[in-house]
Amino acid sequence: MKKERIVVALGGNALGNNPQEQLALVKETAKSIVALAENGYEIVIGHGNGPQVGMINLAMDYAANGSAGTPAMPFAECGAMSQGYIGYHLQQAIGDELKRRNVKREVVCLITQVLVSENDPAFTNPSKPIGMFYTKEQADKIKAEKPDQTFVEDAGRGYRRVVPSPQPVAIIERPVIEELVAKGHIVITVGGGGIPVLQKADGLHGVDAVIDKDKSCAKLAADVKADKLVILTAVEQVCINFNKPNQQALSKLNIAEAEKYIAEGHFAKGSMLPKVEACLQFVRNHKEGQAVITSLANAGNALKGGNSTVITAN
């Protein structure tokens, strides 16, 4: 019997905002992932890196501009660092949980590049929040010192730096990912949406940007013909009229219904909208697949038909 192949996109609630918090949280994340492994799924894991890459970039800028005088670190390299450190934590926690439950599978983290287009309009309209929150006064001060940086207000929580968020065109390491998954290994990949790279005449070049991790996971899921794209967030189901008296949870959506709700403005730009858009991207490109949005704790139950929002082509 063919095993179901799933691509799991982990939300920020599965990671945390600093190394200590993340190390504690991923132990809980690992329990949900290994429960899926016990059920025989072929598993690919993607994750975000907004707070982490911002933290690394800020630390590198501070060191380069301070008395230490260390070399300036390009943003793409900061993204690679975040992939490595988040992947290390996830790999360690999942590996420990596999051993604890006596599940005979291996887990590996793959530093992953994702091709983007230099003509992507995102490069003239930075929109992806990274790093810590600032007051307006703090953001204005940094902007005055570094005019190339852009800050926006983020969901009433403060101001954050934003960078371009181009669309994923191709997953460079896709053949390796497929080979590892086919052998039964759990693969952590497209961390932070993958390191964005441009194809130049002399090869690949990193670029200052952050790709939305849900959209990279959707691209990868379609490319590897996953049975399901599973986007894990803080809620079990997508809702319309969210946080209003007439809030309604959605169990199933097709492309036309999802597009209607998007047009009506039901999904917030910095929250549920990119997740629903990623699901639509997946089912458009792989019509036999299903996209599932639910919470981390509910993942196993959702894949067995429990509470979730399932998005299909028709």
Side-chain angles (χ1 to χ4, degrees), residues 12 127-129 133 152-155 157 160 212-214 233 266-277:
S127 63
K128 183 69 174 177
F133 289 90
V152 300
E153 197 278 328
D154 186 1
R157 297 173 292 178
R160 295 176 80 187
D212 182 87
K213 67 99 174 39
D214 294 321
T233 185
H266 283 285
F267 309 132
K269 283 186 178 181
S271 178
M272 193 56 72
L273 179 60
K275 299 180 189 338
V276 174
E277 287 177 337

Side-chain angles (χ1 to χ4, degrees), residues 172-190:
I172 301 298
E173 286 76 20
R174 179 187 58 78
V176 181
I177 296 165
E178 287 195 281
E179 185 176 337
L180 290 166
V181 174
K183 290 181 177 178
H185 305 312
I186 298 170
V187 183
I188 302 162
T189 181
V190 292

Side-chain angles (χ1 to χ4, degrees), residues 151-170:
F151 292 83
V152 300
E153 197 278 328
D154 186 1
R157 297 173 292 178
Y159 285 75
R160 295 176 80 187
R161 182 186 173 191
V162 289
V163 296
S165 184
Q167 295 295 315
V169 174

